[in-house]
Amino acid sequence: MITRRHMIAGLGSAAVIGLAGRTMAATRHNIGAMRLTSLSDGHLVLPGEFAFDGLPQDELRAVLSRYDISPDELQPPCNVTLLRDDDRTVLFDAGAGAGFMPSAGALSDSLDAVGVAPEEITHVVFTHCHPDHLWGVLDEFDDVMFPDATYMMGTIEWDYWRDPATVDAIDPARAAFAVGAARRLDAIEERIHLFRDGEEILPGVAAVASYGHTPGHMSFELRSGTESMLIGGDAIGNHHVAFARPGWPHGADQDTALGAQTRSRLLDRLVQDQITLLGFHLPGGGLGRVERDGSAYRFVTEDM
């Protein structure tokens, strides 16, 4: 399929698309025959109040100071997971694309850096439909970015963002999320495969309900023999407060109470079962393990 994106790319170095000059570091890990690469889609720039509004400020500052995090501004990384084996080339989430935030949308460059063309992607599996996870399915010309892929999403998430009533029912600050999601889901409707909690959606990949951040947010457990990994999306949304105070509400969650319950449940399971975590907004490419820290937890990045 020849698209406008291909035509521009064919013009050569005079037309440079993406975030020029950025180095795209890749973090790698294997689960049996599944070769996993965490790719950078850049980072977000968010006001601290977006995540921390309403929290006990003195205790919050004490937690953040341990990690040298400002309470005024957050710059979380965006980690898109690439899975390759003999038969599949799978993306977990599609990044932000060109239309969301200038500091994000670098996935195309990161894929190029590891030698993967958009046409080679066989599946795109979504954790949820927020802009930094979904909007990259369309390129800057509104062509489908991964033209030969099957798109996979949990049924609850799909139904929520496809519902015309969502744009009016959602928090007004997120209304643009709903409009943008609906347009992109329309574009992939003919190639969507829906699934439910607990299903093995691909060989060795099972859906794990992690509702709260969005109504139908899904994580994914990858397993081969005794090895396992959880691709956590935004269910555990940062490496500081989410681990030190998992029961606190997080402003990025649409249902803050359910999000806190889900976060605590996942953290406990990751420790108990010694499952590696790859989180979308966690440092070090998002790859690490969870350890107990008294009555709380801490995230320990892998030494790759």
Side-chain angles (χ1 to χ4, degrees), residues 40-65:
S40 173
D41 191 48
H43 67 275
L44 304 182
V45 180
L46 303 170
E49 63 186 14
F50 175 76
F52 304 141
D53 190 38
L55 298 181
Q57 293 300 301
D58 289 345
E59 192 173 353
L60 172 66
R61 289 179 182 275
V63 171
L64 294 178
S65 66

Side-chain angles (χ1 to χ4, degrees), residues 242-304:
F243 286 80
R245 300 292 185 273
W248 280 2
H250 191 285
D253 294 339
Q254 288 183 228
D255 184 331
T256 56
L258 182 57
Q261 293 173 15
T262 295
R263 188 161 48 249
S264 297
R265 172 176 55 84
L266 289 178
L267 287 168
D268 185 64
R269 184 178 172 219
L270 289 165
V271 171
Q272 292 289 344
D273 296 345
Q274 298 185 341
I275 299 173
T276 301
L277 173 63
L278 205 163
F280 195 87
H281 292 305
L282 302 183
L287 184 67
R289 65 184 187 276
V290 181
E291 295 181 348
R292 292 202 185 277
D293 185 11
S295 61
Y297 305 88
R298 61 174 169 261
F299 181 63
V300 181
T301 58
E302 294 282 341
D303 185 12
M304 301 303 295

Side-chain angles (χ1 to χ4, degrees), residues 179-224:
V179 173
R183 184 163 70 87
R184 288 160 177 85
L185 297 181
D186 281 347
I188 61 174
E189 180 179 14
E190 293 183 0
R191 305 200 64 164
I192 195 71
H193 173 84
L194 301 178
F195 56 83
R196 295 187 180 276
D197 176 36
E199 288 187 28
E200 185 176 43
I201 63 168
L202 295 167
V205 181
V208 179
S210 44
Y211 309 148
H213 184 69
T214 62
H217 186 286
M218 285 285 185
S219 300
F220 302 94
E221 183 174 354
L222 280 54
R223 185 170 291 276
S224 177

Side-chain angles (χ1 to χ4, degrees), residues 168-181:
D168 296 317
I170 201 169
D171 184 321
R174 302 174 193 254
F177 292 10
V179 173

Side-chain angles (χ1 to χ4, degrees), residues 11 25 27 40 48 50 67 69 77 86 104 113 125 133-134 182 186 227 232 238 250 259 265 279 282 286:
L11 295 178
T27 302
S40 173
F50 175 76
Y67 299 91
I69 300 292
D86 291 339
V125 181
H133 298 255
L134 171 67
D186 281 347
E227 298 177 283
N238 60 65
H250 191 285
R265 172 176 55 84
L282 302 183

